[in-house]
Amino acid sequence: MADTRTFADVRNTILSAHENTETKEKVAFYNTWAESYEQDTAILDYRAPFLAAECVASHFTSEKERAIILDVACGTGLVSRHLKKMGFRHFVGVDGSEGMLNLAKKPGLFQEVKQCMLGQDPLPVQDESYDVVVIVGGLSFGNVPVPVIKELWQATKPGGFVCMTTRGNIDNLEYKAELERVIQSMEEEKKWHRVSVTVVDEWEKAVSELESGYIPGVIYLYQRT
C-alpha cells in the first residue's frame, strides 16, 4: 500500500526514472508515479515548491489576487498550491504527464491545464500573457531541455517574473552550468534582469550512491524587461 512506502522505495523509484531516456518511457513513468508523487516528495523532504513560491511572493509587489501564474512542469500542482496560500488566485498548469494533470485538476486550483512535451512541442500559451511563470523541478538533466527557458521568457509579460529552479547534485552539474550560461546570455541581451539567485543547501534528500544527506538546489528569479 502507498502509505507504507519507505525512503528506499522512493529512492528506487527515482533512480528507475533516470534509466528512462526515451520521451515515451519518461511520460509513462510520470503517469505511473502520479498517485504516490506527493507522498514520495514528502518522504524526500523536497522543499523546492514552497521555497520557490516564497521567493515569488516576497518579490511580487503588484496585486497578487489579479496576477496570472503559469506553472510549467506543474506536476500535481504543489507550487501553485503554495502560491495560493500566499495570496495568488489565477493559475494555468502545463505538464507532459496526463496522470499528473488529472490529479492537478481535482482540487479546482487551476483555471486551465494543458498537456505539452516541453522541448518537443511549443509551449501552448500566448506570448506576453503571464505576470509570473514558474518552473520548479523540471529543469534538470534528462527532463526539460535548457532552451525551453526562452519560451518561458516569451510567455511572460514585460515587467513580469520568471522563477526557475535546478538541483546542484553531481549528476546535474553540467546541466546547471549550461542553464546558467543561457540565463546570463539572456541577461546580456537585456531580455531580463536578475532579481535574486538563492542557493539552498538542503533542497531534498540525496538518492544517488555518490551523495549522502541532502543535495543543494538553486532558485533563480528574473524580471522580464
Side-chain angles (χ1 to χ4, degrees), residues 28 33 36 80 136 147 166 169 220:
W33 194 23
S36 64
S80 289
V136 175
T166 198
N169 57 305
Y220 309 91

Side-chain angles (χ1 to χ4, degrees), residues 56 67-71 80 83 88 90-92 130-132 134:
V56 169
I68 304 172
I69 313 283
L70 179 64
D71 188 348
S80 289
L83 285 167
F88 294 92
H90 304 286
F91 304 96
V92 174
Y130 297 91
D131 299 283
V132 180
V134 295

